[in-house]
Amino acid sequence: MSSHSDAIKFAYWVPNVSGGLVISNIEQRTGWDIDYNRKLAQIAEANGFDYALSQIRFTAGYGADNQHESVSFSHALLAATTTLKVIAAILPGPWNPALAAKQIATINHLTNGRVSVNVVSGWFRGEFAAIGELWLDHDERYRRSEEFIRALRGIWTEDSFTLKGDFYCFTNYSMKPKPIEPLPEIFQGGSSRAAR
């Protein structure tokens, strides 16, 4: 018999962008506004979905003209539901781990621990150029993500966090309140050797 933690979990991709990031010439009927997304989250929750994953983009792509920021949008979906967990996508570079740790810890408290993080290493060079962020080579982006995740966990668990990394430096940093236990889940995708 498998434990509940081994059970299959269901998630959906939050259409917090116009067109839902569907690559098609067919006109899309998916809404990207908050009213549509609140209703979608409530329907997903009522039908047994475990997670919703909000997307992060700073510039439009795939024909999407409008894109909401993921952490704020995730919080709005969490406020409209009671059991659904929402995974907020975060992009190292534009986000500093101290900011991300504080945002997620606050939302963690406001939603009884239902917020998670998806660390996106970045793949769209034009987006980084448009917002003035340094573009790193593929493997370096994943190294930065690994260090970003170490920083998040350290900030959330240590009272005097110190890290002298290649991308981030912290000296005796103490963030309070810490997230409630269990800590927010951290997800990251990728199939390359660097991602693994």
Side-chain angles (χ1 to χ4, degrees):
M1 176 187 258
S2 66
S3 69
H4 178 68
S5 64
D6 293 337
I8 293 174
K9 306 265 195 269
F10 290 93
Y12 75 94
W13 192 258
V14 173
N16 56 316
V17 302
S18 57
L21 285 185
V22 176
I23 303 171
S24 173
N25 293 329
I26 300 169
E27 183 179 347
Q28 298 301 306
R29 298 178 308 225
T30 305
W32 62 278
D33 61 282
I34 189 58
D35 291 335
Y36 178 89
N37 273 278
R38 281 187 188 119
K39 185 178 285 184
L40 188 60
Q42 291 163 348
I43 290 169
E45 179 177 68
N47 285 283
F49 276 72
D50 300 288
Y51 296 95
L53 170 59
S54 63
Q55 309 166 52
I56 182 59
R57 291 300 299 278
F58 286 92
T59 60
Y62 298 118
D65 294 325
N66 299 291
Q67 300 177 330
H68 289 295
E69 183 274 317
S70 61
V71 175
S72 304
F73 207 79
S74 295
H75 187 211
L77 298 181
L78 287 160
T81 56
T82 57
T83 60
L84 185 72
K85 293 182 179 180
V86 181
I87 306 166
I90 293 177
L91 186 58
W95 263 280
N96 180 283
L99 171 62
K102 191 66 165 173
Q103 284 178 302
I104 298 303
T106 298
I107 296 170
N108 168 273
H109 278 267
L110 297 174
T111 63
N112 199 26
R114 292 187 296 125
V115 66
S116 301
V117 174
N118 180 35
V119 177
V120 179
S121 296
W123 63 271
F124 184 35
R125 185 179 194 141
E127 179 177 54
F128 274 66
I131 62 173
E133 281 293 326
L134 177 65
W135 180 251
L136 302 174
D137 289 337
H138 178 272
D139 289 5
E140 288 297 287
R141 293 195 305 276
Y142 281 99
R143 257 187 6 95
R144 176 172 60 189
S145 291
E146 186 275 331
E147 196 171 289
F148 187 94
I149 291 168
R150 266 194 295 137
L152 282 181
R153 287 187 176 140
I155 292 166
W156 286 339
T157 59
E158 297 178 29
D159 288 329
S160 184
F161 177 64
T162 297
L163 171 70
K164 302 291 187 221
D166 293 329
F167 304 97
Y168 305 107
C169 291
F170 292 87
T171 305
N172 299 322
Y173 177 57
S174 183
M175 184 202 77
K176 293 187 181 176
K178 304 285 187 208
I180 60 175
E181 296 285 343
L183 293 177
E185 294 171 281
I186 300 173
F187 296 86
Q188 185 190 28
S191 59
S192 68
R193 182 179 300 254
R196 290 190 304 271

